[in-house]
Amino acid sequence: MTLATDQLADSGDLSPTGQQFIAMRDAVMEHWERQVRARVDGARQLLRPVLTNTLPAFLDNIAEALSPDHPRKQGASGTNSASAHGGERARMTPFGPDQVIHEYQILREAIAAVGKGRVDLTATDWLIIDRSIDAAMREAVRSFTRIHEDLRHKVAAALSHDMRTPLSVVANGAHVLGITADIAKVRDVASRIATNADRLEDMIAELLDALTYQGAATIPLHLTRFDILDLMREAAEQYVHSDDNDVAIEISGESVVGYWCRASMRRALENLINNAIKYGDRHTVKLMAHQTRGRLMLSVHNEGNPIPAEQHNRIFDYLRREAGPLAATGWGIGLPFVKAVAESHGGSVVVDSAPQLGTTFLIDVPVDGRPFVEQPGAQSAAS
């Protein structure tokens, strides 16, 4: 079984080296986690699902790239998982770009330390690993900085718009105080100046909080405990018995019981199934679920025309429709909603698409969403 971003369970295309690499993934992650918590600023207090992020799938992507018969050439090709990693780091952690780079450097060290004596990596293998990590690092930092750039635009908008009214009140009040001798008027104006100064202080505090911690725009969630496999069957059932659908839907993976918002997860899954039917080859849509290190990996896979690499991130933008095979009605809303659901649960959504592999959308979120979702009356997170 592989947790690569393509979520393909058949390891027949993997070379012996690739299979050995996958076999040591968990050991690499354990070594990496210990080192990151000890050496990377801000990592020590992070919960394991947040720290883990999309890295297990990335390691399995590298295993595929280490297999000559597999179409993936390096671990970051054909997928935007590294961009999702950087975006989640910006939203969920106090990391800066230096910390993102450092954790990838430690990942390289962990592969070398754990792999010694367990897998015989040639110079060619190491070239693939190095190129995979370097490419992922660049994409992650690019995504990380893009989110911070978006924040700067929001701060500029807040400074130019939201603060204009209280500043105007303060300025006009100061002018009035300079020309009036009416003590009652002075007291009234002074009171309004003080009130708006307090408003400005609150706004500045909110901006500083935003600059310190990148909270994502979230959607309201009601978390309950359920088995994701049951939800997958429930969502697929309506397509199996629909007279308008002749596409087979296969469900595989494992039972994963966790805390998520059932309604939003179902709607996100339905959006992905609809897209798979619409843009796939009209044969089979495959749903799969696995868990690793406190993360749920829920995927929807179809064969057919791949999504061009340059569109892997843009397709999640609201109301954006591309020309060509992605131009069908409905593409503009569904995927941004899926992204919002994943990020509101404290995770990410990843697309992996290539001609030889088909297209896989992967919802990668914590199994227990309670520590990452604010909701009245929520239970304490399970230990």
Side-chain angles (χ1 to χ4, degrees):
M1 185 271 292
T2 173
L3 295 178
T5 51
D6 54 37
Q7 281 278 272
L8 301 179
D10 183 7
S11 60
D13 290 337
L14 296 182
S15 67
T17 299
Q19 293 176 3
Q20 291 172 351
F21 194 89
I22 281 183
M24 71 176 192
R25 182 197 64 223
D26 291 343
V28 170
M29 287 300 302
E30 287 291 339
H31 183 99
W32 173 84
E33 179 175 337
R34 289 194 302 271
Q35 291 297 312
V36 167
R37 290 195 186 280
R39 297 163 56 189
V40 176
D41 291 342
R44 187 181 301 276
Q45 287 74 37
L46 296 180
L47 297 178
R48 170 174 278 189
V50 173
L51 189 61
T52 294
N53 201 287
T54 60
L55 288 181
F58 174 60
L59 287 173
D60 285 355
N61 285 346
I62 293 178
E64 292 176 339
L66 291 174
S67 305
D69 293 334
H70 198 281
R72 199 183 300 278
K73 298 307 177 186
Q74 49 99 337
S77 63
T79 175
N80 72 334
S81 63
S83 294
H85 178 93
E88 195 170 318
R89 283 295 186 250
R91 290 182 288 106
M92 301 294 295
T93 75
F95 283 10
D98 288 352
Q99 282 74 34
V100 175
I101 292 172
H102 195 186
E103 64 174 336
Y104 274 108
Q105 292 172 333
I106 293 174
L107 182 63
R108 195 189 325 256
E109 296 173 10
I111 292 171
V114 175
K116 187 175 182 180
R118 297 183 60 166
V119 55
D120 185 17
L121 295 171
T122 66
T124 300
D125 293 333
W126 269 111
L127 183 61
I128 292 171
I129 293 170
D130 287 339
R131 286 177 174 173
S132 298
I133 292 176
D134 289 344
M137 190 188 307
R138 290 193 300 271
E139 292 178 22
V141 171
R142 188 180 302 121
S143 177
F144 184 96
T145 55
R146 183 169 58 245
I147 287 180
H148 281 269
E149 181 65 27
D150 290 343
L151 175 66
R152 282 193 288 272
H153 288 307
K154 292 177 182 177
V155 169
L159 289 171
S160 63
H161 183 270
D162 296 347
M163 292 185 177
R164 184 175 297 169
T165 298
L167 278 173
S168 176
V169 172
V170 170
N172 290 336
H175 174 72
V176 171
L177 290 178
I179 62 175
T180 185
D182 185 340
I183 189 64
K185 184 74 170 177
V186 168
R187 287 173 178 168
D188 176 65
V189 171
S191 175
R192 284 189 282 121
I193 288 176
T195 298
N196 283 274
D198 289 340
R199 286 183 61 195
L200 284 170
E201 184 176 6
D202 290 341
M203 290 180 181
I204 291 171
E206 290 174 3
L207 289 174
L208 289 175
D209 287 343
L211 288 168
T212 302
Y213 179 76
Q214 291 290 306
T218 59
I219 58 176
L221 301 178
H222 175 65
L223 302 188
T224 58
R225 186 174 185 268
F226 62 92
D227 190 333
I228 200 67
L229 204 56
D230 291 339
L231 183 67
M232 293 162 64
R233 292 171 180 144
E234 181 183 307
E237 188 74 12
Q238 62 181 312
Y239 298 94
V240 173
H241 296 290
S242 172
D243 294 335
D244 299 327
N245 176 50
D246 58 354
V247 177
I249 297 181
E250 296 181 359
I251 297 175
S252 62
E254 60 185 317
S255 171
V256 183
V257 177
Y259 286 87
W260 310 284
C261 177
R262 190 181 189 98
S264 63
M265 287 290 278
R266 171 164 177 163
R267 184 178 164 195
L269 189 57
E270 289 172 345
N271 280 326
L272 292 180
I273 295 173
N274 287 335
N275 279 340
I277 293 173
K278 184 183 300 182
Y279 301 110
D281 60 3
R282 306 294 302 178
H283 285 98
T284 302
V285 172
K286 298 179 180 180
L287 312 185
M288 184 182 295
H290 291 291
Q291 64 177 321
T292 181
R293 300 178 65 80
R295 306 272 298 199
L296 164 70
M297 306 184 75
L298 172 63
S299 69
V300 176
H301 174 84
N302 65 269
E303 301 295 330
N305 291 327
I307 300 171
E310 64 272 14
Q311 296 178 12
H312 283 186
N313 289 314
R314 297 205 302 262
I315 56 176
F316 295 104
D317 293 341
Y318 272 104
L319 301 178
R320 184 182 188 97
R321 289 187 175 88
E322 303 289 350
L326 304 184
T329 301
W331 190 267
I333 294 295
L335 290 181
F337 176 78
V338 174
K339 179 182 179 183
V341 169
E343 293 184 353
S344 296
H345 280 88
S348 304
V349 62
V350 173
V351 60
D352 187 305
S353 190
Q356 304 93 325
L357 296 174
T359 296
T360 300
F361 283 94
L362 176 66
I363 297 175
D364 189 341
V365 296
V367 170
D368 187 348
R370 292 175 294 175
F372 316 106
V373 176
E374 293 185 6
Q375 55 173 0
Q379 303 178 52
S380 298
S383 58

